[in-house]
């Protein structure tokens, strides 16, 4: 596949990145449909992997915000998928909820210390599952589970795609919106250009690192239009971070 084809595909799937992206790794067709339906109704973008190997490929292609991972999977067991994701620096903190069939498996999850953030035992109610998903996201990625994020004098509304600063509307392009939406989820944390490319543009798009500088520049200009304090910090040779007042 050419870079251009990849970029086209990614931009179509990432057009509205404000929805949290949940990757469901499960081989039971009926459960897959139930999870897809319920998570979509709850505002998640849902993709499905039917086995462990496919799950790892899909995570490489585009990092999910949360992974629901079945224990018993074809090709590569869920526990091994979890272990491999935890072994990589890029996915070490990726929220993972294990779905297990038996309570003995829960004991093994605990005993093996695979690094899963939570687990649910089948059969589970969708209400319980959705509550667990929200709880894990809230703990690990605060702000992501909510429609609106307010940090200092900046407010990001994911439903209407509006941004306010001190109550006044800030007009942003789609890339600047995603960039702000990502940075505001981790106030004060420094991201390299490569990390921002991965998170905002997708890891399978060929974009030069300095493209990030261009969009950060535009975001700054829009946010500080009336001479406000600049909430974006440039960290020499490291990257960018956002810390609203
Ligand atoms: Ca299974």
């Amino acid at each position: 596949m050419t870079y251009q084809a990849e970029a086209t595909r990614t931009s179509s799937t990432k057009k509205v990145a404000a929805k949290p992206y949940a990757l469901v790794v499960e081989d039971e067709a009926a459960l897959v449909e139930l999870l897809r339906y319920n998570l979509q109704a709850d505002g998640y973008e849902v993709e499905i992997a039917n086995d462990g190997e496919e799950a790892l490929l899909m995570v490489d292609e585009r990092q999910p915000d949360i992974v629901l991972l079945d224990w018993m999977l074809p090709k590569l067991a869920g526990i091994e998928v979890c272990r491999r994701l935890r072994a990589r620096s890029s996915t070490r903190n990726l929220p993972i909820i294990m779905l297990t069939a038996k309570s003995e498996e829960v004991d093994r999850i605990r005993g093996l210390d695979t690094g899963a953030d939570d687990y649910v035992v089948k059969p589970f109610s969708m209400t319980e599952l959705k509550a667990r998903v929200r709880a894990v996201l809230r703990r690990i990625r605060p702000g992501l589970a909510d429609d609106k994020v307010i940090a200092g004098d900046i407010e990001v509304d994911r439903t209407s795609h509006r941004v306010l600063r001190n109550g006044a509307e800030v007009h942003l392009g789609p890339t600047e919106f995603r960039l702000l939406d990502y940075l505001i989820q981790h106030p004060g944390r420094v991201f390299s250009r490569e990390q921002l490319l991965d998170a905002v543009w997708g890891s399978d798009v060929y974009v030069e690192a300095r493209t990030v500088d261009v969009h950060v520049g535009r975001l700054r200009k829009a946010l500080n239009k009336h001479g406000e304090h600049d909430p974006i910090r440039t960290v020499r040779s490291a990257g960018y971070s956002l810390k609203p007042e």
Side-chain angles (χ1 to χ4, degrees), residues 137-195:
L137 281 181
R138 216 161 255 145
R139 180 155 48 89
I140 300 166
R141 304 275 306 273
L144 190 64
D146 300 310
D147 289 339
K148 202 178 270 187
V149 188
I150 301 171
D153 56 4
I154 301 173
E155 186 177 322
V156 176
D157 187 328
R158 299 199 169 103
T159 317
S160 62
H161 270 234
R162 285 177 76 202
V163 174
L164 302 177
R165 181 150 201 205
N166 282 321
E169 184 146 9
V170 177
H171 297 279
L172 297 177
T175 305
E176 286 73 41
F177 181 87
R178 290 201 303 266
L179 193 56
L180 174 64
D181 191 20
Y182 187 71
L183 288 168
I184 208 165
Q185 287 165 35
H186 318 266
R189 196 168 131 191
V190 179
F191 291 99
S192 69
R193 288 167 180 80
E194 288 71 26
Q195 284 171 325

Side-chain angles (χ1 to χ4, degrees), residues 26-28 70-74 122:
E26 171 64 68
D27 58 326
E28 250 173 84
D70 184 29
W71 171 286
M72 294 290 284
L73 285 169
K122 296 178 187 176

Side-chain angles (χ1 to χ4, degrees), residues 64-76:
D65 295 302
I66 189 159
V67 180
L68 302 185
L69 182 59
D70 184 29
W71 171 286
M72 294 290 284
L73 285 169
K75 293 187 185 172
L76 197 61

